Amino acid sequence: MYVLMKRATQHRAIYCYGILSLWIFLMIAGTYKFANFDNVMSTWLRKPQTLPAAQAQKRLRDLKRRNLLKSCNLLEDLTLGSEGESDENYNLEGVILLLRHGDRGPLSHLRNISSVDCGIKTEESSKEFELYRQIVSNISYKLPQSSMLSFFLSHIQNSPQSPLLPSSPECELGQLTPSGIVQLMKLGQLLRSRYASRLALADKNVTSEDIAVYSTAYKRTIQSVLAFLTTFLNVDDFFKVVHLRESKSLLFCFNDCACHASEVYQKRYRAEVSKFYKNHPSVIKLVRKLSNIVFEVPDSMQNSDPYVLKDGLLTFLCHEANLPSYNLRNVRKEQVTTVFNYINQETRVAVQSQALKMSFLLRSYGFLKDIVSQMLRIISEKKPRMIIYSGHDKTIKYISAAFGILNQFTALPPYASRFMIEVYSFDEKTETDIFSVRKKYFFRLLFNGQDFTDQVTFCKSNFQKDGANNSNFVVCPIESIIRYLHDDYFMIFNATNYKDACAVPT
């Protein structure tokens, strides 16, 4: 019995070895037979694995770089969006434009700042900057004596250099750089292509009544709007049109500026942000670490405010300079990415804050009043056809809140940003019964070329598409913004006017 079982086991083993040998033979034969096919396949497979991988890495590097440089708004990123893309049944009556100044130096003293070249980098930009220099070199004796700019020049005529020209190639504290000049000149060229002829601003009969220009009393905002106008207008018209009016506040609040309650709501908002910040101990540690490298003498604010740190880092990033180092410690790009990502995350949360909204609404009320009055002037007087405000990032943030479009984009406006309102009338030739005289005028709202009209809070139930051939053309009746300003603006404060809303909340 034992012998039989042993033989049966041996037979099974021999059978398995036979099967295995046959399988190996077939595999070898198949490999030999299809060797050429495998060579082709391996070659084909090898190419997609190497080339796309390299491309993917390059794309990733480019994406990370572009994310870091969004706030710089480099020349190659300055492009037209949907500005002036209207419908044939609507007539463009005027444009209200709020500009943020161009690229500037840091607001704090930085280490290694002498290694940063804030001058012009390309031949084309050099030509643009030279054009600006030539134009403003004649401005002091060609401007009307009553203009704010003449007043500005007369008070600093003993300055060692022209106040209308930025220092080059040094990065001076808070001062516009030559790159900032060229940014606004390019923006002027772009917007000229969309608006100049339609608003009859390319005609020879253009006067100072056709364009109203306001600026805060900062060199960087004055220089920025002048740079914009040198390319938006014909050179000969530049001296006729430029009649700067001063805003004593960066809010453009004019007669409605004093409001202590806005500071109270701002403090509440800061308390909310502080709680959010404290929930990110690794970011707190990183901000403190980098601040000690970036700033010459870091104070308590610089050591604890990621936004202040970002402002300092942008000086190096926007000008392609090496990141700062100190005592054998270097700032690394991945650390910068971490700080910037945190700021984006905090901003997404912050724009939902009720306290922030209330503070911004009070700060922007005076500006919104002026904008509405400018709209009514465009409608009733047909002049001015272009109103320009040259301001700051805060100006854009505040007015965005007034229109209900404060978001992560408008809350972090890059250099040379534009906030635009286009005023339209419906073509009377095609007017129907649904249009009364008081509902004949409309507006569009755009930020950096993107149409935000459909997100304006007080327009959401009152958009106008009837009569438009372009289904993507959405406008809001000007009647809506007038009603909002007079009836609904202070509802959030349980008040009916600015004075009551500014009473210190309990």
Side-chain angles (χ1 to χ4, degrees), residues 449-467:
Q450 183 177 348
D451 190 344
F452 279 90
T453 311
D454 62 354
Q455 298 182 36
V456 176
T457 51
F458 54 83
C459 293
K460 286 186 176 179
S461 60
N462 205 14
F463 291 128
Q464 184 62 59
K465 288 186 178 182
D466 296 331

Side-chain angles (χ1 to χ4, degrees), residues 299-485:
D299 56 29
S300 58
M301 176 179 290
Q302 293 165 344
N303 269 326
S304 61
D305 193 331
Y307 293 87
V308 175
L309 177 60
K310 178 182 178 181
D311 182 80
L313 290 169
L314 283 177
T315 302
F316 299 90
L317 293 170
C318 297
H319 298 281
E320 302 177 355
N322 293 328
L323 292 171
S325 60
Y326 178 66
N327 280 350
L328 301 179
R329 293 176 296 167
N330 302 306
V331 176
R332 302 192 305 273
K333 279 192 176 180
E334 56 268 25
Q335 293 174 320
V336 177
T337 300
T338 298
V339 173
F340 283 25
N341 286 343
Y342 168 79
I343 288 174
N344 291 336
Q345 182 183 0
E346 182 184 291
T347 302
R348 283 192 290 270
V349 175
V351 295
Q352 305 300 322
S353 167
Q354 186 82 337
L356 181 70
K357 178 181 178 182
M358 295 172 80
S359 174
F360 283 10
L361 283 175
L362 293 176
R363 295 182 179 200
S364 59
Y365 173 69
F367 191 14
L368 185 65
K369 268 184 64 178
D370 196 68
I371 287 175
V372 172
S373 69
Q374 298 286 12
M375 287 181 169
L376 295 177
R377 284 185 65 197
I378 291 172
I379 292 170
S380 60
E381 302 174 22
K382 304 301 180 184
K383 288 184 180 184
R385 295 189 289 273
M386 169 75 85
I387 298 98
I388 305 174
Y389 302 90
S390 185
H392 309 259
D393 56 343
K394 289 182 178 179
T395 322
I396 292 177
K397 288 194 290 186
Y398 298 156
I399 199 63
S400 295
F403 281 91
I405 63 164
L406 184 66
N407 52 48
Q408 65 185 95
F409 304 108
T410 57
L412 296 172
Y415 294 132
S417 284
R418 70 258 192 201
F419 183 101
M420 307 190 67
I421 300 170
E422 298 174 345
V423 178
Y424 289 93
S425 63
F426 189 75
D427 193 342
E428 294 180 1
K429 295 178 181 178
T430 57
E431 188 171 359
T432 63
D433 292 339
I434 63 171
F435 293 96
S436 63
V437 174
R438 55 197 288 268
K439 293 184 177 180
K440 179 183 173 182
Y441 294 95
F442 308 87
F443 73 90
R444 290 175 76 217
L445 180 63
L446 305 99
F447 174 70
N448 285 341
Q450 183 177 348
D451 190 344
F452 279 90
T453 311
D454 62 354
Q455 298 182 36
V456 176
T457 51
F458 54 83
C459 293
K460 286 186 176 179
S461 60
N462 205 14
F463 291 128
Q464 184 62 59
K465 288 186 178 182
D466 296 331
N469 292 328
N470 182 357
S471 60
N472 295 321
F473 183 70
V474 178
V475 289
C476 176
I478 286 182
E479 182 185 29
S480 296
I481 192 172
I482 295 172
R483 185 186 302 114
Y484 166 65
L485 182 66

